[in-house]
Every structure is written in structure tokens, then in C-alpha cells.
Amino acid sequence: MTVKLPDDCGIISERIFEASKKLIEYNYWDNIEEHELSAWINNFLSEEEKYFAAVLLNSLIYRNSSAIKTFGAQLFHIIIPNYLEEKGIYEIESIDSWLRLLNQSGSRGVLPFRFTTVEAIDNKPAKSGATIFRELKRHFFDSDLGVGCQSLSQMVKNPKINTLIIFDDVIGTGEQFETFVKKYNVNQLGYNILYCPLAAHKSGIERIQKSYPNIDIKPIEILTELHSLFSAKNKLLEIGNATQHIEFLSFFKTLCDNRQFKIDSDNYLGKGELALTYLFKDSTPNNNISAIWYGDENWTRLAKR
């Protein structure tokens, strides 16, 4: 299958490839090596495929270590303090004293909440939310304030605790969070529940709010259909006077078939077919388009799941 390309597609592709290498050189993409990028680009053979690779790289949203720390500051300086005060759970005198308390050993005896993350809902040894949890813990709170999801049922024995704050990387469809809630009976704990994904797709937020109206969701960043690689608003898919997003979508699915991706076709565009291009330094949400995270002997992946 062929798609219509701009007359200067080769120049556009090379400019984007070079700009991507600069992002690695400047350590903005801080967990991708230049040789990994080059090997990934080499997956794409024809002029059309090279242009598609360039469109994907141009759409990539990469949240590096500094960005994650900034997201964490938003959580611990603003979102969580405001939530605790609005609910009458805990009053914070000042951000400085609050941050010191969070990092003190023994703070679990004073604070009426615990932190956890969405994990252990499938057969994989780790969930990307656990990676975000470790990063936030390293910067913002003492490990004694954390609780594993397997221990949530035991937590109710402590009458001083009345609030559970859940961290995650991304809400995509919301399906994984629903599985987590059901598996660990989170909604039956009788707690105030604050769910804090760093990013959340609008459709996933709506699904969770409909199923669990008592759970408060406070994401840092909200994603919509405009964040899909194949959004009609993707300027690089506007060729001449025509929008080519549907054609490029078919082109990509054919590419996956031709390269014999060993995954279900439903996963070509990622979980929920959201076709995101949204990465964290140490985790790749499963709602991302498979061209980023898929790998086999014939296809070099750009980022690990």
C-alpha cells in the first residue's frame, strides 16, 4: 500500500531524524541511545515508511527524569495538600514543614493516609506504575508511607488511616485500574480514595468516574483523541489539501502485517487502539502504538515496555 507524501518528504524526514538525535545528545530523551534510535529508524525501508517514522518521532511526547520530578512536585506541593484540606483529612501549615514530615521516619504514626500504586494485576513481574511510584518515593516521601497492594486489606486494622492515595503512570482505557480495584477490593476499604496518574486519557477518566464516582481522580496531564498519532489534527498527515490520517492508519496496519508482528492486530495501535506516542524515561504505557515498543528478530524496538 502506498500513501501520498509531500514533495519534500525526504527533507522533512531527515530534519526530524536529526532533531531526534539532538534530543538524545542534549539528554532530553534520557533513556534512549543514539544507536538505538538509528537501529529503530532502519526498520523503515521505503520512502513512505521513513516518512511515517518521522511523523511518529515528531509526535513523540517524552517525559524524562526532570519532567517526572516536576510532575511529582505538582502532586506533593499542590494536588495532594489541597485534596487533604478540602476533605478535612489533614491540615498543612506550610509546604516546607509538610515535605519534611513526609520524609521523616515515623511519619506513618502521624499521617492518616498511605501511598500505593496500580500493580500486580497480570502475570508480569512489574507494572509501569510501580516505576513511577519508586521515582516519586525517592524524591518526596519516606518508604514507611507506602503500602503494597497485597497489604491493603490489612491496612484497615489501623483506625488512624482513612485515606488511600494511588499513583500510576497513565490511565489509558481505564480497564487496568478497574481490574486493580476489583482484585484488591479497593472500593470496599471505606477510605477516601485519591487516584493520581501522571497522565490520563479522557476516555479512561470518564470510564472510571462512571464506575466509581466515589474515587477522586486528579491527573497532572489530560490526553484526548488529539494525542493519537493518527489524529486528523496531525499537521504532518495533511498532504496538500487533503487529510491523510485514515490512509496512514491503513498503511501502518499493513506494515505490521507485512513485517509479521507477533501480536494480535487489535494491539497494533496499543491497548484500546489509542495510538499514543507518550513515553516516560523508564516505562512505556501499553496504549502506545506498537511500532515504539514491539520487538523481534526482524524489528528493533525504540523503547521497552
Side-chain angles (χ1 to χ4, degrees):
M1 178 180 179
T2 60
V3 287
K4 185 177 180 181
L5 299 176
D7 294 336
D8 55 349
C9 62
I11 295 174
I12 293 172
S13 297
E14 286 304 316
R15 284 178 177 171
I16 292 173
F17 295 156
E18 287 302 314
S20 299
K21 291 175 183 177
K22 288 294 183 184
L23 289 171
I24 294 173
E25 179 184 336
Y26 297 150
N27 203 38
Y28 187 83
W29 289 359
D30 54 357
N31 202 24
I32 300 176
E33 301 289 341
E34 186 173 335
H35 70 87
E36 293 174 323
L37 174 64
S38 296
W40 180 80
I41 291 172
N42 287 337
N43 290 319
F44 302 90
L45 306 177
S46 66
E47 189 174 50
E48 290 92 344
E49 291 179 8
K50 293 286 186 187
Y51 184 75
F52 175 81
V55 172
L56 193 157
L57 289 175
N58 189 69
S59 301
L60 202 65
I61 300 172
Y62 188 98
R63 300 307 182 210
N64 59 21
S65 295
S66 295
I68 294 170
K69 187 175 180 180
T70 299
F71 282 2
Q74 177 80 359
L75 283 173
F76 286 92
H77 293 186
I78 300 173
I79 291 177
I80 295 174
N82 287 347
Y83 177 83
L84 296 176
E85 292 193 355
E86 288 170 3
K87 292 283 186 176
I89 299 166
Y90 187 81
E91 187 172 346
I92 294 157
E93 294 181 0
S94 71
I95 292 298
D96 287 341
S97 63
W98 156 252
L99 295 176
R100 283 196 301 271
L101 180 58
L102 285 175
N103 284 281
Q104 289 175 4
S105 61
S107 57
R108 64 184 288 125
V110 178
L111 297 171
F113 55 82
R114 294 293 182 267
F115 301 121
T116 193
T117 189
V118 178
E119 59 177 333
I121 56 174
D122 50 31
N123 295 322
K124 295 180 180 178
K127 167 77 171 64
S128 51
T131 302
I132 298 300
F133 183 88
R134 288 192 296 271
E135 189 74 8
L136 293 176
K137 181 180 68 175
R138 185 165 69 90
H139 292 293
F140 297 103
F141 63 90
D142 186 81
S143 59
D144 281 348
L145 289 173
V147 59
C149 51
Q150 297 88 347
S151 302
L152 291 177
S153 60
Q154 299 299 314
M155 196 171 64
V156 296
K157 296 178 181 179
N158 187 340
K160 294 181 180 180
I161 301 173
N162 59 23
T163 300
L164 183 65
I165 299 173
I166 306 171
F167 298 127
D168 205 356
D169 56 350
V170 169
I171 297 176
T173 62
E175 182 179 340
Q176 285 190 332
F177 182 73
E178 283 195 344
T179 301
F180 169 78
V181 170
K182 291 175 182 176
K183 181 174 181 179
Y184 296 104
N185 298 314
V186 172
N187 214 32
Q188 280 74 54
L189 294 174
Y191 291 155
N192 301 296
I193 300 174
L194 174 61
Y195 182 30
C196 299
L198 299 191
H201 197 277
K202 180 181 177 182
S203 60
I205 295 174
E206 291 172 350
R207 174 174 177 163
I208 295 169
Q209 287 178 331
K210 182 178 180 180
S211 299
Y212 303 102
N214 63 305
I215 294 178
D216 296 295
I217 307 174
K218 301 287 186 181
I220 304 295
E221 195 167 16
I222 295 179
L223 309 177
T224 71
E225 60 277 1
L226 297 180
H227 290 89
S228 167
L229 177 64
F230 301 102
S231 166
K233 299 296 184 180
N234 191 330
K235 295 297 183 181
L236 288 182
L237 300 185
E238 293 181 5
I239 315 299
N241 295 321
T243 300
Q244 298 287 305
H245 64 289
I246 299 300
E247 289 76 8
F248 271 95
L249 174 58
S250 298
F251 174 82
F252 173 65
K253 289 182 176 180
T254 300
L255 173 64
C256 294
D257 287 337
N258 291 342
R259 301 299 172 81
Q260 298 181 336
F261 277 22
K262 299 178 182 66
I263 54 176
D264 292 339
S265 58
D266 289 347
N267 288 323
Y268 286 170
L269 303 181
K271 184 77 171 178
E273 298 192 328
L274 298 183
L276 298 182
T277 53
Y278 189 101
L279 306 184
F280 292 97
K281 175 191 174 183
D282 292 314
S283 65
T284 304
N286 64 2
N287 310 102
N288 279 285
I289 187 170
S290 60
I292 295 174
W293 49 262
Y294 178 78
D296 62 21
E297 64 276 10
N298 300 312
W299 188 272
T300 302
R301 61 191 176 191
L302 181 63
K304 293 180 180 180
R305 278 285 318 279

